[in-house]
Amino acid sequence: MSTTTTLVPFEDALTRYEPVMGLEVHVELNTATKMFCGCATTFGAEPNTQVCPVCLGLPGALPVVNEKAVESAIRIGLALNCEIADWCRFARKNYFYPDMPKNFQTSQYDEPIAYNGWTEVEVDGEVFRIEIERAHMEEDTGKSLHVGGSTGRIHGASHSLLDYNRAGIPLIEIVTKPIEVPGDKAPSVARAYVNHLRDLMLALGVSDARMDQGSLRADVNLSLRPVGTTTFGTRSETKNVNSFRSVERAVRYEVSRHAGILDAGGSVVQETRHFHESDGSTSAGREKSDAEDYRYFPEPDLAPVAPSREWVEELRATLPEPPAERRKRLQSEWGFSDLDMRDTVGAGALDLVAATIEAGTSPAAAKKWWLGELARRSNEQGVDIAELPITPQQVAQIQSLIDAGRINDKLARSVFDGVLAGEGSAEEVVAARGLEVVSDDGALSAAVDQAIADNPDVAEKIRGGKVQAAGALIGAVMKQMRGQADAARVRELILEKLS
Amino acid sequence: MSSSAISRDDVAHLASLARIDLSDDELDRLGAELPAILEHVKVVQQVAGDDVPPMSHPIPVANVFRADVPRPGLTPQEALAGAPESEEQRFLVPQILGEE
Amino acid sequence: MSIDVTTATAASLAEALADGSTSSVEVTQAYLDRIAGSDERLNAFLHVDAEGALATARDVDARRAAGEQLATLAGVPIAVKDLIVTTGQPTTAGSKMLEGWVPPYDATVVTRLREAGLPILGKTNLDEFAMGSSNEHSAYGPARNPWDTTRIPGGSSGGSAAAVAAFEAPLALGTDTGGSIRQPAAMTGIVGVKPTYGGVSRHGVIAMASSLDQVGPMARTVLDAALVHEVVAGHDPLDSTSIERPVPAVVEAARRGDVSGLRIGVVREFGGEGFQPGVRAAFDRAVELLAKAGAEVVEVSCPHFSHGIAAYYLVMPSEVSSNLARFDAMRYGLRVMPHEGASAEQVMAASRDAGFGDEVKRRIVLGTYALSSGYYDAYYGSAQKVRTLIARDFEAAFEQVDVLVSPTAPTTAWKLGEKSDDPLSMYLEDVATIPANLAGVPGLSLPVGLAEDSGLPVGVQFLAPAMADDRLYNAAAALERLVDMPRLEEIT
Ligand SMILES: [Mg+2]
Ligand SMILES: [Zn+2]
């Protein structure tokens, strides 16, 4: 494999080529049991503790379909505006790999449960329609740990250790039709689409949809064609891109790489590629050749799936409001500007803000905390904002303390520290850290007197009618009381004493 | 395409798809036997018209489902009892090539 | 006690157990002794579980003594084909690939045997992964036909057939994918039944061809077979292809055995060319007996049955190639390191070469071909269409008649080694049994006497519509009373 491909800068590439993308997203369902057996699906369990003859592919074991998984598949299909097959089958995809216990994956081939759908994503205020080719049911593989190499990677490993807890967990594979959008938008449309699918899965409640844990995985297929032509070029398939940002980077990288090959008169090889988080590059994996012959055939051990129209309609009635409509509704309810809304969505904080508002906080305050204080912390810690150990209810409690005048914004930051550090509820943190503002006149009065005594010239100005100078004295009181004074009451006392 | 011409090379390719490291003798033998068998079975191509649906399942049932309720599986000890090798409660397999 | 334990029928043993004239320990021990005496010659068993069988027998005796209500066959021992997984004893599928493997779970049929209190004597010999019609493809040497130990017992359930025929077990379970219960039953002079597809759970039965495989009883009488059938049949939620309907009343039918007014169709396509004259003659006599007993016998044509073998030898190997992919040396079974530092891929390929026998490899490669891109429609797809045509032939035939009859196999048992070099001629032995598997309908083979030309047992096959297994038992029980099937006096 040649490694000397020149990368053409993205913008430069777009002057000569148009990218065509295809996205294949695997969604791990959050069912209690696996696709074809009753094993539990708890993430992070001890190795090989969630296995049975079926998911270990032991001789004689037979699969039985999880009804909830079919239900989720249909609901996903409906949410993506797909047609739902009135009769379809599972198929065996035959290939050998140690993480696949039967050496075939039970999947769907030419008869997917859902097909011919569409959805819309928004990028910079512009709406793009993504056509969905199909959404089908299949099962996940086990996980291998490569031992003996330097970095736990497969290359150079002397052997591998296999854990089949994940083997057989239900997956829905969602495949788009070719996505043809203006080249400069392609990376962000790809990212927005995957992000949109995540929102959709969460709204449906069918998956944890966490890219960091692999419950949402994206494969990015990309080809280039010369500007003005219509036939598709040869595509590369970048596998298991595991963050939204990486989806965007993978598209950019592949555009640059393909352009480099094509500019040099070469031809792109149809192959699987791997994305490298470290530098945003991709490298060649398996070459797709005619050796890749999956010998699909209908799974004889499973009965066909023929969802009745009544069942499908029942499931349609359970669909949540489509994310785009919901965003529009919330924006008007909250009185957010377009920019406010975009920032909120962009920060991945929409649901958090919504839940905070639902818990009684004003939209402005909810936005302020999530997009300010908490977004900053999530950035610093490099975690998704939703992963911060604080709930919308806790944020609402902090704001209600502010509204009651018991703490101020500055003290609230310490309360956030305490809650995030697991010190308990907002109330408990306030009590334990002694953060409540002092509005007791006795203590405040003494501090005000002290401040007046310490700043006679300022006091004189106020006496002379320069009320705005009170700020300096308030600051001095606050300093004395380490921020825990009720600023409004302090101001009143100063003005009383100096009038 | 419908001819049953199948060469020794074809057999070697099929054996590699099927992950069987056949010896030269076996390749020779299967290279001779398979065409004879295929010659006999290829008659199926002439029997049924386009209007005949293929039968994948002998009994016409659909929607055989299981409730999403966990059932006890195997203990790791039971799961690993038949393993040629194991380590750290996992199945130990030789180095896996071809992927990175 | 007046019965000879090892030659008694299972039904009479059950009665003797129920009335206390014998005990399960006594019966089980008698069979274990018989196995010890003759199995060195027959090689019907790959594993004998004397301890386990006697433990079950003691338990059943104790429960009976305590007045517990037990299943009809409680205490009557049974042998189980070594394709069916069992805890506590190895399951090899007749292959080196699984030598020494002890499954961590029981097949549903085994669970049902245990629940009904049948002591499991051991695991019987078979063609490797059930692929063969002679038992010569066992990695552990062939089982032999007790009527003539220089001959094959049939296959693939040859060990179960030989064991039952030689009084090493009163009952056995076999599996039938293209005739693997019925053909060895015919070759050894016993009764063998392939139930309706989906009638008996396949959970825990090592798959050969998933859309064709079925577990069934092997016994010395029709009633005995029905008693086992009743124990193992019925819906199993662990098998998605298991039928959710009541089990046909097979025991009642076996006790009835009345063919008066029954419409019986003789399959025109089976019995002519390629059928041994002695087989044909025995079959014709049987049909005459049925007519004399009041059955209405007509000839029925099933024009697509003649393409059954071609369709079968595409569908079956295709499914085999996929079903046997799991034997890859990673999680269980034989692991061969071809050289130091070999990769997983190389170890898989070397292990599969070393662990599988010739017939298994032949079918895997054939099936890989039939499924491969560019050939799928021409081979697998076309073969599945032929299945539809065969199923339609059955439907049409069963509009005219209640059951169909044919010889079970074209010949009587052949000499060991006689057909080993010609896989195709071996495949042709399944011509009459295959259509039932392709269409999913039930079939039963009944011994009807010895062929005049070979002096060896001949079987007659009954076929019925899906879920009408009781019709087989009724018709076969009637014929059983009329034929003069000699008893095996001595293993020769
Ligand atoms: Mg897939
Ligand atoms: Zn499982």
Coordinates of all heavy atoms in Angstrom, one line a residue, chain A residues 24 26 93 95 105 107-108 136-139 171-173 175 219 239 296, ligand 1:
Chain A
E24 N -22.9 5.1 7.0 CA -23.5 3.9 7.5 C -23.3 4.0 9.0 O -22.2 4.0 9.5 CB -22.8 2.6 7.0 CG -23.1 2.3 5.6 CD -22.3 1.2 5.0 OE1 -21.8 0.3 5.8 OE2 -22.1 1.1 3.8
H26 N -24.1 2.5 12.8 CA -24.6 1.3 13.6 C -25.1 1.8 14.9 O -24.3 2.5 15.6 CB -23.5 0.3 13.8 CG -23.2 -0.5 12.6 ND1 -22.3 -0.1 11.6 CD2 -23.7 -1.7 12.1 CE1 -22.3 -1.0 10.6 NE2 -23.1 -2.0 10.9
K93 N -24.6 -13.5 6.9 CA -23.5 -12.9 6.1 C -22.2 -13.7 6.6 O -21.8 -13.6 7.7 CB -23.4 -11.5 6.6 CG -22.2 -10.7 5.9 CD -22.2 -9.3 6.5 CE -21.2 -8.4 5.8 NZ -21.2 -7.0 6.3
Y95 N -18.6 -14.8 6.9 CA -17.1 -14.6 6.8 C -16.5 -15.0 8.1 O -17.2 -15.0 9.1 CB -16.8 -13.1 6.4 CG -17.2 -12.1 7.4 CD1 -16.3 -11.5 8.3 CD2 -18.5 -11.6 7.5 CE1 -16.6 -10.6 9.3 CE2 -18.9 -10.7 8.4 CZ -18.0 -10.1 9.3 OH -18.3 -9.2 10.2
Q105 N -22.5 -13.5 10.4 CA -23.3 -12.5 11.2 C -24.7 -12.6 10.8 O -25.0 -12.7 9.6 CB -22.8 -11.1 10.9 CG -23.5 -10.0 11.7 CD -23.2 -8.6 11.2 OE1 -23.0 -8.4 10.0 NE2 -23.1 -7.6 12.1
S107 N -27.9 -11.0 10.0 CA -28.1 -9.7 9.5 C -29.3 -9.7 8.6 O -30.1 -10.6 8.6 CB -26.8 -9.2 8.8 OG -27.0 -7.8 8.4
Q108 N -29.5 -8.6 7.9 CA -30.5 -8.6 6.9 C -29.8 -8.2 5.6 O -28.9 -7.4 5.6 CB -31.7 -7.6 7.2 CG -32.5 -8.1 8.4 CD -33.8 -7.3 8.5 OE1 -33.8 -6.2 8.9 NE2 -34.9 -8.0 8.1
H136 N -31.6 -1.7 8.9 CA -31.8 -3.2 9.1 C -31.3 -3.7 10.4 O -30.5 -3.0 11.1 CB -31.2 -4.0 7.9 CG -29.7 -4.1 7.9 ND1 -29.0 -3.5 6.9 CD2 -28.8 -4.7 8.7 CE1 -27.7 -3.7 7.1 NE2 -27.6 -4.4 8.2
M137 N -31.7 -4.8 10.8 CA -31.4 -5.4 12.1 C -30.2 -6.4 11.9 O -30.1 -7.1 10.9 CB -32.6 -6.2 12.6 CG -33.8 -5.4 12.8 SD -35.2 -6.4 13.4 CE -35.8 -7.2 11.9
E138 N -29.3 -6.3 12.9 CA -28.2 -7.3 12.9 C -27.7 -7.4 14.3 O -28.2 -6.9 15.2 CB -27.1 -7.0 11.9 CG -26.5 -5.6 12.1 CD -25.5 -5.3 11.0 OE1 -25.6 -5.6 9.8 OE2 -24.5 -4.6 11.4
E139 N -26.6 -8.2 14.4 CA -26.0 -8.4 15.8 C -24.6 -7.9 15.8 O -23.9 -7.9 14.8 CB -26.1 -9.9 16.1 CG -25.4 -10.8 15.0 CD -25.3 -12.2 15.4 OE1 -25.5 -12.6 16.5 OE2 -25.2 -13.0 14.4
L171 N -28.1 -4.6 16.9 CA -27.6 -3.3 16.1 C -28.7 -3.0 15.1 O -29.3 -3.9 14.5 CB -26.3 -3.6 15.4 CG -25.0 -3.8 16.2 CD1 -23.9 -4.1 15.2 CD2 -24.7 -2.6 17.0
I172 N -28.9 -1.7 14.9 CA -29.6 -1.3 13.7 C -28.6 -0.6 12.8 O -27.9 0.4 13.3 CB -30.8 -0.3 14.1 CG1 -31.7 -1.0 15.1 CG2 -31.5 0.1 12.8 CD1 -32.4 -2.3 14.7
E173 N -28.5 -1.0 11.6 CA -27.6 -0.3 10.7 C -28.4 0.6 9.8 O -29.3 0.1 9.1 CB -26.8 -1.4 9.9 CG -25.8 -0.7 8.9 CD -24.9 -1.6 8.1 OE1 -24.7 -2.8 8.6 OE2 -24.5 -1.2 7.0
V175 N -28.4 3.1 6.7 CA -27.5 3.4 5.5 C -28.2 4.5 4.7 O -29.4 4.4 4.4 CB -27.4 2.2 4.7 CG1 -26.5 2.4 3.5 CG2 -26.9 1.0 5.5
D219 N -19.6 4.7 9.9 CA -18.7 4.4 8.8 C -18.9 5.5 7.8 O -20.1 5.8 7.4 CB -19.0 3.1 8.2 CG -18.9 1.9 9.1 OD1 -18.3 2.1 10.2 OD2 -19.3 0.8 8.8
K239 N -14.0 3.2 8.6 CA -14.8 2.4 9.6 C -14.7 3.0 11.0 O -13.7 3.6 11.4 CB -14.3 1.0 9.7 CG -14.6 0.2 8.4 CD -16.0 -0.2 8.3 CE -16.3 -0.9 7.0 NZ -17.7 -1.0 6.6
Y296 N -24.4 -14.5 1.2 CA -25.6 -14.3 1.9 C -26.7 -15.4 1.6 O -26.8 -15.7 0.4 CB -26.2 -12.9 1.5 CG -25.6 -11.7 2.2 CD1 -24.7 -11.0 1.5 CD2 -26.0 -11.3 3.5 CE1 -24.2 -9.8 2.1 CE2 -25.4 -10.2 4.0 CZ -24.5 -9.4 3.3 OH -24.0 -8.3 3.9
Ligands
MG1 MG -23.7 -4.4 8.9

